[in-house]
Amino acid sequence: MGAGNDTILLKVKKGELPSHLAIIMDGNGRWAARRKLLRVEGHKAGATAVDKIIQASIQIGIPVLSLYAFSTENWKRPETEVNALFELLNFYLKRKAKSLIKNGISLRVSGDISKLPLKSRKLLNETITNTSSLNKLILNLCINYGSRDELLIAVEKLIKKRIVLGDIKKISSLPEWNEIEENLYTNGLPDIDLLIRTAGEKRLSNFMLLQSAYAELYFTDIEWPDFGESELLKALIEYQRRTRKFGGLVEESKTGK
Ligand code: IPE
Ligand code: IPE
Ligand code: MG
């Protein structure tokens, strides 16, 4: 962390931190276009920003970090860009495997990775297995992720489990929320407390619609490759200024109920 950020870091660490921080990393293409570079150069610069934010999250003490890397809708992009994104993912996973372990980072994935190129699937599964016992930070990469897709898959899993149980009453009864939650990709992770989107767009683009039910939203014009530790600290300061109520009154908000 840069020297100028040290005092802000101390201040932020004293306040309440999000249990789960999620980021819609947007603006790689625009960052590249402004520099007359190819879009893929923007994605490469975006990967460097990912490193910085992972390190900063560990230093700050954020336990869960979800990063939106590829949406179910991003397949609409030209094949060359999609291929370049997965090549970059492969390169990143190979290069970072050791440092993830050294830093105590446990990798998870949210999304249907069965649609990914074989090499990416293999590397993801290997890294997930090799880091599963680590607990300094849970890095939840959202790849081929979309909330609607996630919900459809969750409902399918839930119905199948009920059928296996063979309880007729249960098969036709309304599910409890926790039964849905258990079947989402994010099973076991806390709800999102702070959701950041970079590059000026103010929309969720099919990201964690259910997990963000009470998330604080933070939008910044900074493009993802330029989003660094000081930008993250800025977002956290804003987060700590907000009053969360969860539908109750201010006094009750402290308990999160
Ligand atoms: C975000 O940057 C990265 C991915 C969606 C993979 P974009 O590629 O969406 O960048 P812009 O929005 O075109 O600037
Ligand atoms: C959302 O960004 C997806 C990721 C950041 C991976 P997009 O750039 O795909 O979103 P839209 O198309 O602007 O809504
Ligand atoms: Mg975009």
Side-chain angles (χ1 to χ4, degrees):
M1 183 103 19
N5 285 330
D6 286 355
T7 11
I8 309 172
L9 172 67
L10 283 175
K11 189 174 170 239
V12 165
K13 283 179 90 151
K14 276 193 206 131
E16 195 155 313
L17 292 170
S19 306
H20 186 171
L21 166 68
I23 309 181
I24 302 175
M25 310 182 290
D26 199 16
N28 294 351
R30 279 162 280 173
W31 183 94
R34 284 197 299 108
R35 287 166 176 76
K36 307 219 175 350
L37 297 170
L38 295 172
R39 290 181 60 83
V40 65
E41 295 301 325
H43 295 313
K44 281 187 193 158
T48 308
V50 166
D51 276 346
K52 287 191 194 147
I53 292 309
I54 291 174
Q55 286 310 324
S57 299
I58 292 177
Q59 240 180 325
I60 294 164
I62 292 167
V64 183
L65 173 66
S66 286
L67 297 176
Y68 202 10
F70 192 89
S71 75
T72 45
E73 287 73 33
N74 285 148
W75 297 106
K76 292 179 195 161
R77 296 188 180 197
E79 208 182 321
T80 45
E81 179 167 348
V82 171
N83 289 342
L85 279 167
F86 287 113
E87 299 239 331
L88 193 60
L89 173 72
N90 296 349
F91 176 76
Y92 186 88
L93 287 170
K94 271 192 256 172
R95 197 166 53 100
K96 290 287 157 190
K98 280 200 188 114
S99 88
L100 289 178
I101 295 172
K102 204 177 98 209
N103 287 298
I105 300 166
S106 175
L107 183 73
R108 267 182 81 135
V109 167
S110 287
D112 179 7
I113 64 166
S114 70
K115 306 281 184 326
L116 267 49
L118 181 65
K119 183 97 193 135
S120 303
R121 261 186 288 155
K122 259 188 78 191
L123 282 166
L124 280 168
N125 286 329
E126 260 170 42
T127 318
I128 290 169
T129 311
N130 294 340
T131 62
S132 65
S133 61
L134 306 171
N135 57 12
K136 195 103 185 254
L137 172 79
I138 294 176
L139 173 63
N140 180 36
L141 276 188
C142 305
I143 308 175
N144 192 23
Y145 175 86
S147 276
R148 290 185 173 173
D149 211 40
E150 178 183 40
L151 184 59
L152 294 179
I153 293 168
V155 170
E156 189 190 22
K157 282 199 230 162
L158 184 154
I159 293 171
K160 280 188 182 154
K161 283 185 198 165
R162 285 181 170 205
I163 291 171
V164 171
L165 283 174
D167 180 340
I168 295 297
K169 264 194 275 159
K170 190 114 209 268
I171 286 172
S172 54
S173 71
L174 206 63
E176 301 277 341
W177 167 243
N178 68 337
E179 213 184 334
I180 302 271
E181 208 173 22
E182 267 159 26
N183 290 294
L184 297 176
Y185 294 127
T186 49
N187 176 30
L189 299 181
D191 273 352
I192 293 171
D193 291 312
L194 174 61
L195 173 59
I196 297 175
R197 181 168 187 147
T198 60
E201 310 299 347
K202 292 175 184 66
R203 55 177 170 259
L204 298 178
S205 304
N206 202 10
F207 184 60
M208 300 274 179
L209 303 183
L210 296 168
Q211 297 85 342
S212 297
Y214 272 99
E216 294 298 324
L217 308 180
Y218 180 89
F219 299 103
T220 171
D221 287 339
I222 305 278
E223 291 155 350
W224 175 248
D226 291 332
F227 190 90
E229 58 208 19
S230 53
E231 296 303 325
L232 176 59
L233 288 171
K234 231 198 252 175
L236 289 167
I237 285 174
E238 163 76 24
Y239 169 77
Q240 292 177 341
R241 275 198 204 114
R242 307 245 181 115
T243 304
R244 307 185 72 193
K245 298 196 283 184
F246 299 93
L249 301 177
V250 179
E251 290 75 26
E252 288 168 335
S253 69
K254 301 243 165 4
T255 63
K257 297 269 150 49

